[in-house]
Amino acid sequence: MTGKRRIARRFDALQREGRGGLVAFVTAGDPDPATSAVILQGLPAAGADLIELGMPFSDPMADGPAIQQSSQRALKAGMTLRKTLDMVAAFRRRDDETPIVLMGYFNPIHAHGVEAFVSDAAAAGVDGLIIVDLPPEEPELVTPAQAAGLDFIFLTTPTTDDARLKTVLAQASGFVYYVSITGITGTRSASAGDVRIAVERLRRHTDLPVAVGFGIKTSVQAGEIANVADAAVVGSALVARVAANLDEQGRARPGATDAVLELVRDLAAGVAGARKRETVG
Amino acid sequence: MSRYEQRVLANGPIMLYYPACGVTLRIAGTLETRMKSLNTYRAGPDEKGHFGIYGGRYVAETLMPLILEVERAYDAAKEDPNFAAEKAHYFRQYIGRPSPLYFAERLTRELGGAKIYLKREDLNHTGAHKINSCIGQALLARRMGKRRIIAETGAGQHGVATATVCALFGIPCVVYMGAVDIARQAPNVYRMKMLGAEVRPATSGSATLKDAMNEALRDWVSNVESTYYLIGTTAGPHPYPVMVRDFQSVIGEEVREQMQEAEGRLPDSLIACIGGGSNAMGLFHPFLDDRNVRIIAVEAAGEGVETGKHAASLTAGKPGVLHGNRTYLLQDGDGQIEEAHSVSAGLDYPGIGPEHAWLHDIGRVEYVSVTDREALEAFHLCTRLEGIIPALESAHAVAQLVKIAGDLGRDHLAVLNMSGRGDKDLDMVANLTGDGP
C-alpha cells in the first residue's frame, strides 16, 4: 500500500463524486462462514463503499436483537476471530480498494493478544477498527493499532459534549462514527434534521469524514443521512435480511445472499440518488 | 505468590509485567503516591479505576459521560456529612445495623479447632448483605435527581433489595433477570413484583445473570438521562467496584469493633464466599493491611472445576474484559464468554470483581473453591448445629471452614461472613437432598 490509506482514498473519491457513501455492516460468519464469505465478496459490486465487518461476540452489550442474533448464529456456526481475519484476507485477494473496518468488542482481541491481533489484522488487509467497549479512557489498543497502520475509529454520541469530544477526537483516525441515537443498534431512528446539527458540530472539531449509524433501515433514510454526512452506516437491516432468509433449521435458503445484496443495491441507490452535497468545510 | 514481575527504575515509572495476559502496567503518579500504593493494599483504585491491571471503564461512548457523572456525584457524596448521616440513619433504623457477630459455640465444638464467629448479615432487612449497597446507591441516585432505577439480578436477592429501596424511596424500578433464573427463582420474582418493580426477562445468550447485565446495560444506554443503574456487586465499570466496596465495608468495620469487644483483639482469619465479590470485599477490605489476618475467599466449584461446570473464575478463568472491567473471566480460547454453573444462583457468574483479581495476583487473599455437594453438606451442618439456615452462597464459606477449622488452634479466631439466609433456597435444597436431610 502506498501513500494514503484505503479509508482516506475512498472518502477522497466520494468527495470528488460529490456524494455521501454507504457503509454496509454484516457479521462475519453469519449465518455460516461460507455464505458469509459470498455476501462479503458481493458487497462492493452491490454498492457498498466501505464494509464494516462484525466480529462475533457472545455478549454484545451495545447491540439490539438483530445483531445479537447474527452474532449468535455466527458463533454457533463455528466462527472465530482467526476465521474472520482469514475471511478478510480472502476478500483482499480479489479487492484491493474497498476499505474493511472490523467492528466488535475487546475481549476476543484481548484473548488473541493485542500485538498479535494488530499485526495479523494488518496482514489480512484490515483497514480500521471500531471497538465498542474501548473509549479513549482505555487506550491500550489504539497505539499499537495505529503503529501497525490500522485506523482507529471512535464512536461519538449525542451524550458526547464538546469538552469530551476533544478527548475522543484527539486519538481518532480514518473517520468518525456518529451514533445518532442514545440507544442500541437497530432500534430508534434519529431525524435527518437532528443528524445535520450533530454533524455540523462534529465538523467544527475535526477534518475527518463523519459516518452516521444506528437506526438507518431504508434507502430513503440512508439517502437523507448520506446527504448531511459523509456516509451512512446500515447494519441491523442487513443482518435482519439474513435472518429472514433462513430455513427452520437456521440454514441459508437458496437465494439468501442475493436477498441481502439486493437490499444493499437498494440502499446504494438511495445514497446515490440523494441531492449532491455542497462542499462542506 | 505473585503473578507479576516488577521492575522499578530509579527515576522512571514502576513497570509490572503480567505473564498471564501479556500486559505491562505502568504505575503512574508521583514517587510519593507510588510508594504509598506499594505500602498498602487499601490505596486502590487509581484515578481511572484500575486495581493493578484490573478494573477500568470499558464501556460504550454513550455511557462514558454518565459514568463520569456517577463518579463525580459519588466523590461529592463521600465528602458530604449529610450523605453520611442519611446513610447511617437507614443502616440503623431500616436495615437493622449493626448486624451481630455471633460466637457459634456448637459449630466450633463440632469442628474441634478454631473459635468460629458468624457475622450475621443474614439478619439484615431482606435477609442478605445486598441491602447495604442498595441503600447507599439509592441515596446517591436520589441526589443525582435520577427518576428511574434499573438493576440486574441472578438469584433475585439483589433484585429484591433494589426493589425494596425503590419502594422505600418511591422510585420506579425495573429489574432484569435471566429467563432461566425467573423460572427457577419464582418466589423472588413474586416478591419484586409485590414491591412494585417490573421484572423483565433477559432471553438472549444463556438467559442467566450475565445476560441480565447485558440487558441492563442496553436499557441504560437507551435511557441515559433519567436512569441510574444500581449494580449489585463489586464489578462493572469504575466507580462501581469501589463504590459498592465502600458501602459494604461497614461489614468489616463492624467486625473490627465487635471482635475487639468480644476478644480484645483482631481475628486471625476471615472467610467469605465469592461470586462477584461484594460480601467478601465488604468483610476483607478493612483488614487488608493487617498482615497477620489470614483472608480466604471461596468460589463455587459447581460440579467440580475439572468438569467444566463451575463458577470459579479465579481458579480456572483468565484475564479478559467484560461488563466494563478487566478481570478474570470464564472464557474459551477465542475470548467468548462461557456459562457459569453453581447450585447457588448468587455465585453463578463467569467473572469476578476487579479488586479480587488484583488481590489474587498479589497473593494477599487466598482464593479456594468448594463444590455444590460440599456446600450442601455444610448447609445442613450449620442448620442443625446452630439453628441458622445459611444461604447456599454462604454455605460455600461454611464448607471451607469445615475443611480447615480442625487444623487451626483453639485460640485461633475465625470470622465467617454469613452473607444471607437460606429460606430462598429451600426448594432447591429439598430437590437435591430428597425427603429428609
Side-chain angles (χ1 to χ4, degrees):
Chain A
M1 192 167 60
T2 54
K4 278 195 165 181
R5 296 171 177 179
R6 281 189 202 95
I7 292 174
R9 288 205 305 264
R10 179 52 51 99
F11 277 106
D12 285 352
L14 289 167
Q15 175 103 17
R16 282 195 303 273
E17 290 174 41
R19 67 174 179 96
L22 172 67
V23 183
F25 170 97
V26 290
T27 300
D30 174 31
D32 62 76
T35 308
S36 178
V38 175
I39 293 172
L40 184 67
Q41 299 285 0
L43 286 174
D49 296 301
L50 291 88
I51 296 169
E52 234 181 84
L53 190 60
M55 298 178 281
F57 182 49
S58 53
D59 294 79
M61 278 96 53
D63 284 300
I67 293 179
Q68 287 172 39
Q69 284 154 19
S70 78
S71 218
Q72 289 294 327
R73 287 193 296 269
L75 291 174
K76 211 173 151 196
M79 204 58 191
T80 63
L81 184 54
R82 181 70 258 168
K83 289 180 186 169
T84 300
L85 295 176
D86 291 345
M87 186 182 273
V88 174
F91 175 91
R92 271 286 163 259
R93 285 195 283 274
R94 299 190 197 182
D95 183 325
D96 197 34
E97 292 299 318
T98 310
I100 293 189
V101 174
L102 293 181
M103 181 165 191
Y105 297 81
F106 186 42
N107 200 53
I109 295 171
H110 193 275
H112 194 92
V114 163
E115 295 295 337
F117 171 77
V118 296
S119 73
D120 291 352
V126 170
D127 300 291
L129 303 174
I130 302 176
I131 308 302
V132 178
D133 52 357
L134 283 183
E137 279 77 2
E138 301 295 348
E140 63 204 77
L141 183 59
V142 184
T143 314
Q146 290 177 339
L150 301 172
D151 283 319
F152 205 91
I153 292 120
F154 280 97
L155 303 173
T156 67
T157 72
T159 59
T160 314
D161 63 23
D162 281 0
R164 224 187 124 60
L165 209 46
K166 287 193 178 63
T167 313
V168 175
L169 293 173
Q171 302 179 74
S173 62
F175 61 93
V176 176
Y177 189 130
Y178 179 64
V179 174
S180 61
I181 54 152
T182 54
I184 53 178
T185 52
T187 51
R188 298 193 300 259
S189 306
S191 74
D194 286 348
V195 171
R196 179 190 295 276
I197 294 166
V199 171
E200 281 167 3
R201 180 169 79 101
L202 283 171
R203 289 214 167 103
R204 286 197 292 275
H205 289 87
T206 182
D207 293 330
L208 290 172
V210 179
V212 175
F214 281 44
I216 303 170
K217 291 171 181 143
T218 66
S219 64
V220 173
Q221 284 175 321
E224 285 172 359
I225 297 300
N227 200 24
V228 297
D230 297 294
V233 187
V234 181
S236 295
L238 290 174
V239 301
R241 183 61 69 92
V242 174
N245 283 276
L246 302 176
D247 67 16
E248 273 145 26
Q249 279 80 46
R251 290 175 306 218
R253 287 204 190 99
T257 55
D258 287 341
V260 175
L261 295 174
E262 180 60 38
L263 179 54
V264 176
R265 277 190 286 273
D266 186 34
L267 293 162
V271 167
R275 181 172 56 81
K276 287 204 172 187
R277 291 182 299 112
E278 294 164 29
T279 311
V280 184
Chain B
M1 128 201 87
S2 169
R3 303 299 172 96
Y4 60 76
E5 297 155 19
Q6 180 177 316
R7 286 185 297 143
V8 185
L9 309 176
N11 291 312
I14 297 171
M15 309 296 286
L16 303 179
Y17 175 67
Y18 288 74
C21 55
V23 169
T24 302
L25 172 80
R26 182 180 185 278
I27 298 185
T30 63
L31 186 62
E32 193 184 338
T33 60
R34 281 190 271 139
M35 288 314 293
K36 194 175 149 217
S37 71
L38 290 176
N39 285 329
T40 172
Y41 294 108
R42 303 181 71 218
D46 69 12
E47 70 280 6
K48 288 184 172 175
H50 295 113
F51 300 92
I53 60 165
Y54 302 104
R57 282 182 288 223
Y58 296 85
V59 297
E61 173 60 24
T62 313
L63 289 180
M64 267 314 294
L66 189 58
I67 280 169
L68 296 170
E69 185 194 341
V70 172
E71 184 188 5
R72 280 191 299 272
Y74 178 57
D75 285 345
K78 267 193 301 195
E79 302 302 318
D80 181 353
N82 291 329
F83 183 78
E86 244 183 339
K87 192 184 73 167
H89 165 77
Y90 287 104
F91 270 22
R92 201 171 66 194
Q93 306 295 349
Y94 191 73
I95 300 179
R97 304 209 69 89
S99 67
L101 183 68
Y102 165 74
F103 171 47
E105 202 175 341
R106 297 193 68 214
L107 193 58
T108 297
R109 205 180 310 140
E110 171 77 16
L111 299 181
K115 196 167 178 186
I116 297 165
Y117 282 85
L118 306 179
K119 178 60 173 168
R120 299 293 307 276
E121 291 298 297
D122 59 315
L123 293 178
N124 293 343
H125 179 45
T126 71
H129 69 289
K130 293 287 188 189
I131 191 85
N132 300 328
S133 165
C134 287
I135 286 284
Q137 289 192 65
L139 289 171
L140 184 69
R142 203 166 65 161
R143 276 171 73 96
M144 293 174 73
K146 297 296 178 185
R147 305 181 300 282
R148 178 174 177 267
I149 284 179
I150 58 172
E152 84 294 337
T153 196
Q157 293 306 100
H158 175 60
V160 167
T162 304
T164 299
V165 297
C166 287
L168 172 66
F169 296 127
I171 304 173
C173 177
V174 173
V175 178
Y176 288 91
M177 188 167 181
V180 169
D181 291 332
I182 286 181
R184 63 183 177 184
Q185 303 286 341
N188 271 344
V189 175
Y190 192 67
R191 283 169 84 190
M192 285 184 268
K193 288 180 179 169
M194 280 199 311
L195 289 159
E198 182 191 341
V199 181
R200 291 190 190 162
T203 54
S204 60
S206 57
T208 58
L209 178 54
K210 80 176 172 72
D211 310 285
M213 198 151 181
N214 291 335
E215 286 305 329
L217 285 165
R218 289 176 187 127
D219 179 311
W220 207 22
V221 163
S222 309
N223 298 286
V224 281
E225 293 298 326
S226 65
T227 299
Y228 181 87
Y229 181 14
L230 206 159
I231 295 182
T233 190
T234 49
H238 179 65
Y240 283 95
V242 62
M243 180 164 65
V244 173
R245 175 197 79 193
D246 291 350
F247 291 138
Q248 293 293 0
S249 288
V250 67
I251 300 172
E253 285 155 12
E254 286 175 7
V255 167
R256 283 186 86 93
E257 281 182 26
Q258 291 166 323
M259 192 55 101
Q260 202 68 40
E261 213 168 284
E263 300 278 354
R265 64 182 182 92
L266 292 180
D268 298 301
S269 60
L270 308 172
I271 298 183
C273 66
I274 179 165
S278 70
N279 93 80
M281 193 55 72
L283 174 63
F284 299 167
H285 194 260
F287 291 96
L288 289 178
D289 285 340
D290 299 292
R291 316 256 167 140
N292 292 327
V293 179
R294 181 181 175 191
I295 304 181
I296 303 167
V298 188
E299 295 193 290
E303 295 175 19
V305 171
E306 70 289 349
T307 67
K309 288 182 173 294
H310 61 82
S313 325
L314 285 175
T315 307
K318 56 179 193 257
V321 171
L322 180 71
H323 294 152
N325 58 163
R326 191 208 305 271
T327 188
Y328 279 78
L329 300 170
L330 300 180
Q331 55 183 315
D332 68 14
D334 191 42
Q336 308 299 336
I337 307 304
E338 293 183 322
E339 266 181 72
H341 293 271
S342 170
V343 66
S344 145
L347 305 181
D348 209 347
Y349 179 68
I352 193 160
E355 192 165 10
H356 284 291
W358 177 70
L359 289 168
H360 168 265
D361 280 9
I362 62 172
R364 174 63 186 100
V365 175
E366 297 167 45
Y367 292 87
V368 299
S369 63
V370 311
T371 62
D372 288 350
R373 174 162 297 281
E374 291 166 330
L376 202 60
E377 283 168 12
F379 174 96
H380 289 301
L381 185 75
C382 182
T383 301
R384 292 228 298 248
L385 286 176
E386 294 292 347
I388 295 171
I389 302 175
L392 276 173
E393 290 80 9
S394 320
H396 283 71
V398 178
Q400 180 62 22
L401 197 54
V402 169
K403 287 186 189 178
I404 65 171
D407 297 332
L408 303 169
R410 283 167 198 273
D411 56 347
H412 184 105
L413 303 177
V415 175
L416 181 142
N417 200 4
M418 186 56 68
S419 56
R421 68 176 188 227
D423 309 50
K424 69 184 176 64
D425 296 316
L426 296 188
D427 281 352
M428 173 73 91
V429 171
N431 282 338
L432 292 170
T433 317
D435 289 343

mmCIF file of all heavy atoms in Angstrom, chain A residues 85-104:
data_model
loop_
_atom_site.group_PDB
_atom_site.id
_atom_site.type_symbol
_atom_site.label_atom_id
_atom_site.label_comp_id
_atom_site.label_asym_id
_atom_site.label_seq_id
_atom_site.Cartn_x
_atom_site.Cartn_y
_atom_site.Cartn_z
ATOM 1 N N LEU A 85 -10.406 -13.024 10.308
ATOM 2 C CA LEU A 85 -9.238 -12.448 9.638
ATOM 3 C C LEU A 85 -8.942 -13.192 8.327
ATOM 4 O O LEU A 85 -8.593 -12.566 7.315
ATOM 5 C CB LEU A 85 -8.016 -12.491 10.569
ATOM 6 C CG LEU A 85 -8.126 -11.622 11.834
ATOM 7 C CD1 LEU A 85 -6.904 -11.816 12.723
ATOM 8 C CD2 LEU A 85 -8.301 -10.146 11.481
ATOM 9 N N ASP A 86 -9.121 -14.507 8.333
ATOM 10 C CA ASP A 86 -8.918 -15.285 7.101
ATOM 11 C C ASP A 86 -9.904 -14.844 6.019
ATOM 12 O O ASP A 86 -9.576 -14.792 4.828
ATOM 13 C CB ASP A 86 -9.093 -16.781 7.376
ATOM 14 C CG ASP A 86 -7.965 -17.338 8.243
ATOM 15 O OD1 ASP A 86 -6.928 -16.650 8.383
ATOM 16 O OD2 ASP A 86 -8.133 -18.446 8.789
ATOM 17 N N MET A 87 -11.138 -14.539 6.452
ATOM 18 C CA MET A 87 -12.165 -14.117 5.508
ATOM 19 C C MET A 87 -11.781 -12.775 4.862
ATOM 20 O O MET A 87 -11.956 -12.579 3.659
ATOM 21 C CB MET A 87 -13.502 -13.997 6.266
ATOM 22 C CG MET A 87 -14.691 -13.705 5.383
ATOM 23 S SD MET A 87 -16.196 -13.529 6.389
ATOM 24 C CE MET A 87 -16.703 -15.206 6.477
ATOM 25 N N VAL A 88 -11.209 -11.889 5.677
ATOM 26 C CA VAL A 88 -10.757 -10.603 5.136
ATOM 27 C C VAL A 88 -9.612 -10.836 4.142
ATOM 28 O O VAL A 88 -9.590 -10.250 3.048
ATOM 29 C CB VAL A 88 -10.297 -9.650 6.260
ATOM 30 C CG1 VAL A 88 -9.694 -8.373 5.671
ATOM 31 C CG2 VAL A 88 -11.456 -9.314 7.181
ATOM 32 N N ALA A 89 -8.688 -11.723 4.507
ATOM 33 C CA ALA A 89 -7.543 -11.981 3.628
ATOM 34 C C ALA A 89 -8.020 -12.518 2.276
ATOM 35 O O ALA A 89 -7.514 -12.114 1.216
ATOM 36 C CB ALA A 89 -6.586 -12.967 4.297
ATOM 37 N N ALA A 90 -9.020 -13.403 2.304
ATOM 38 C CA ALA A 90 -9.560 -13.957 1.055
ATOM 39 C C ALA A 90 -10.215 -12.854 0.222
ATOM 40 O O ALA A 90 -10.069 -12.809 -1.006
ATOM 41 C CB ALA A 90 -10.571 -15.061 1.370
ATOM 42 N N PHE A 91 -10.930 -11.962 0.888
ATOM 43 C CA PHE A 91 -11.565 -10.832 0.204
ATOM 44 C C PHE A 91 -10.512 -9.960 -0.466
ATOM 45 O O PHE A 91 -10.648 -9.540 -1.619
ATOM 46 C CB PHE A 91 -12.362 -10.026 1.229
ATOM 47 C CG PHE A 91 -12.983 -8.762 0.681
ATOM 48 C CD1 PHE A 91 -14.267 -8.780 0.155
ATOM 49 C CD2 PHE A 91 -12.278 -7.563 0.690
ATOM 50 C CE1 PHE A 91 -14.833 -7.621 -0.349
ATOM 51 C CE2 PHE A 91 -12.837 -6.399 0.185
ATOM 52 C CZ PHE A 91 -14.123 -6.434 -0.335
ATOM 53 N N ARG A 92 -9.427 -9.703 0.257
ATOM 54 C CA ARG A 92 -8.382 -8.806 -0.235
ATOM 55 C C ARG A 92 -7.686 -9.330 -1.489
ATOM 56 O O ARG A 92 -7.157 -8.566 -2.290
ATOM 57 C CB ARG A 92 -7.317 -8.581 0.843
ATOM 58 C CG ARG A 92 -7.562 -7.444 1.771
ATOM 59 C CD ARG A 92 -7.326 -6.089 1.119
ATOM 60 N NE ARG A 92 -7.959 -5.060 1.939
ATOM 61 C CZ ARG A 92 -9.135 -4.501 1.655
ATOM 62 N NH1 ARG A 92 -9.787 -4.811 0.562
ATOM 63 N NH2 ARG A 92 -9.661 -3.606 2.448
ATOM 64 N N ARG A 93 -7.670 -10.637 -1.648
ATOM 65 C CA ARG A 93 -7.019 -11.178 -2.840
ATOM 66 C C ARG A 93 -7.767 -10.764 -4.102
ATOM 67 O O ARG A 93 -7.211 -10.704 -5.178
ATOM 68 C CB ARG A 93 -6.912 -12.706 -2.738
ATOM 69 C CG ARG A 93 -5.815 -13.144 -1.749
ATOM 70 C CD ARG A 93 -5.429 -14.609 -1.893
ATOM 71 N NE ARG A 93 -6.411 -15.509 -1.299
ATOM 72 C CZ ARG A 93 -6.417 -15.854 -0.003
ATOM 73 N NH1 ARG A 93 -5.492 -15.378 0.820
ATOM 74 N NH2 ARG A 93 -7.332 -16.683 0.455
ATOM 75 N N ARG A 94 -9.071 -10.435 -3.954
ATOM 76 C CA ARG A 94 -9.850 -10.028 -5.128
ATOM 77 C C ARG A 94 -10.124 -8.533 -5.176
ATOM 78 O O ARG A 94 -10.482 -8.002 -6.215
ATOM 79 C CB ARG A 94 -11.208 -10.734 -5.116
ATOM 80 C CG ARG A 94 -11.109 -12.230 -5.160
ATOM 81 C CD ARG A 94 -12.493 -12.773 -5.393
ATOM 82 N NE ARG A 94 -12.565 -14.180 -5.063
ATOM 83 C CZ ARG A 94 -13.665 -14.899 -5.219
ATOM 84 N NH1 ARG A 94 -14.773 -14.324 -5.650
ATOM 85 N NH2 ARG A 94 -13.672 -16.166 -4.913
ATOM 86 N N ASP A 95 -10.066 -7.883 -4.028
ATOM 87 C CA ASP A 95 -10.442 -6.464 -3.967
ATOM 88 C C ASP A 95 -9.429 -5.726 -3.107
ATOM 89 O O ASP A 95 -9.345 -5.954 -1.898
ATOM 90 C CB ASP A 95 -11.850 -6.331 -3.366
ATOM 91 C CG ASP A 95 -12.334 -4.886 -3.331
ATOM 92 O OD1 ASP A 95 -11.505 -3.971 -3.114
ATOM 93 O OD2 ASP A 95 -13.546 -4.666 -3.511
ATOM 94 N N ASP A 96 -8.651 -4.852 -3.760
ATOM 95 C CA ASP A 96 -7.626 -4.135 -3.009
ATOM 96 C C ASP A 96 -8.030 -2.684 -2.746
ATOM 97 O O ASP A 96 -7.223 -1.878 -2.309
ATOM 98 C CB ASP A 96 -6.295 -4.188 -3.786
ATOM 99 C CG ASP A 96 -5.113 -3.829 -2.896
ATOM 100 O OD1 ASP A 96 -5.160 -4.168 -1.685
ATOM 101 O OD2 ASP A 96 -4.169 -3.192 -3.393
ATOM 102 N N GLU A 97 -9.292 -2.356 -3.016
ATOM 103 C CA GLU A 97 -9.721 -0.967 -2.920
ATOM 104 C C GLU A 97 -10.727 -0.701 -1.802
ATOM 105 O O GLU A 97 -10.686 0.336 -1.145
ATOM 106 C CB GLU A 97 -10.370 -0.539 -4.259
ATOM 107 C CG GLU A 97 -9.387 -0.458 -5.410
ATOM 108 C CD GLU A 97 -8.288 0.555 -5.147
ATOM 109 O OE1 GLU A 97 -8.583 1.640 -4.630
ATOM 110 O OE2 GLU A 97 -7.114 0.221 -5.430
ATOM 111 N N THR A 98 -11.684 -1.622 -1.618
ATOM 112 C CA THR A 98 -12.778 -1.358 -0.687
ATOM 113 C C THR A 98 -12.299 -1.477 0.759
ATOM 114 O O THR A 98 -11.816 -2.536 1.168
ATOM 115 C CB THR A 98 -13.945 -2.351 -0.905
ATOM 116 O OG1 THR A 98 -14.259 -2.369 -2.297
ATOM 117 C CG2 THR A 98 -15.163 -1.942 -0.092
ATOM 118 N N PRO A 99 -12.415 -0.410 1.532
ATOM 119 C CA PRO A 99 -11.934 -0.478 2.915
ATOM 120 C C PRO A 99 -12.785 -1.440 3.762
ATOM 121 O O PRO A 99 -14.005 -1.499 3.599
ATOM 122 C CB PRO A 99 -12.099 0.953 3.435
ATOM 123 C CG PRO A 99 -12.289 1.800 2.218
ATOM 124 C CD PRO A 99 -12.919 0.930 1.186
ATOM 125 N N ILE A 100 -12.117 -2.164 4.624
ATOM 126 C CA ILE A 100 -12.809 -3.028 5.591
ATOM 127 C C ILE A 100 -12.432 -2.594 7.011
ATOM 128 O O ILE A 100 -11.251 -2.502 7.358
ATOM 129 C CB ILE A 100 -12.444 -4.512 5.409
ATOM 130 C CG1 ILE A 100 -12.990 -5.022 4.081
ATOM 131 C CG2 ILE A 100 -13.008 -5.343 6.566
ATOM 132 C CD1 ILE A 100 -12.875 -6.527 3.924
ATOM 133 N N VAL A 101 -13.473 -2.330 7.777
ATOM 134 C CA VAL A 101 -13.297 -1.957 9.174
ATOM 135 C C VAL A 101 -13.880 -3.077 10.021
ATOM 136 O O VAL A 101 -15.021 -3.484 9.799
ATOM 137 C CB VAL A 101 -14.032 -0.630 9.464
ATOM 138 C CG1 VAL A 101 -13.982 -0.301 10.945
ATOM 139 C CG2 VAL A 101 -13.439 0.493 8.634
ATOM 140 N N LEU A 102 -13.112 -3.586 10.964
ATOM 141 C CA LEU A 102 -13.642 -4.603 11.873
ATOM 142 C C LEU A 102 -14.329 -3.909 13.036
ATOM 143 O O LEU A 102 -13.801 -2.964 13.615
ATOM 144 C CB LEU A 102 -12.531 -5.501 12.414
ATOM 145 C CG LEU A 102 -11.818 -6.408 11.416
ATOM 146 C CD1 LEU A 102 -10.762 -7.245 12.149
ATOM 147 C CD2 LEU A 102 -12.796 -7.313 10.684
ATOM 148 N N MET A 103 -15.533 -4.385 13.360
ATOM 149 C CA MET A 103 -16.265 -3.797 14.475
ATOM 150 C C MET A 103 -16.602 -4.892 15.480
ATOM 151 O O MET A 103 -16.995 -5.992 15.106
ATOM 152 C CB MET A 103 -17.557 -3.162 13.979
ATOM 153 C CG MET A 103 -18.355 -2.499 15.097
ATOM 154 S SD MET A 103 -19.613 -1.415 14.394
ATOM 155 C CE MET A 103 -20.162 -0.528 15.852
ATOM 156 N N GLY A 104 -16.421 -4.570 16.760
ATOM 157 C CA GLY A 104 -16.759 -5.579 17.751
ATOM 158 C C GLY A 104 -16.373 -5.150 19.144
ATOM 159 O O GLY A 104 -16.296 -3.948 19.437
#
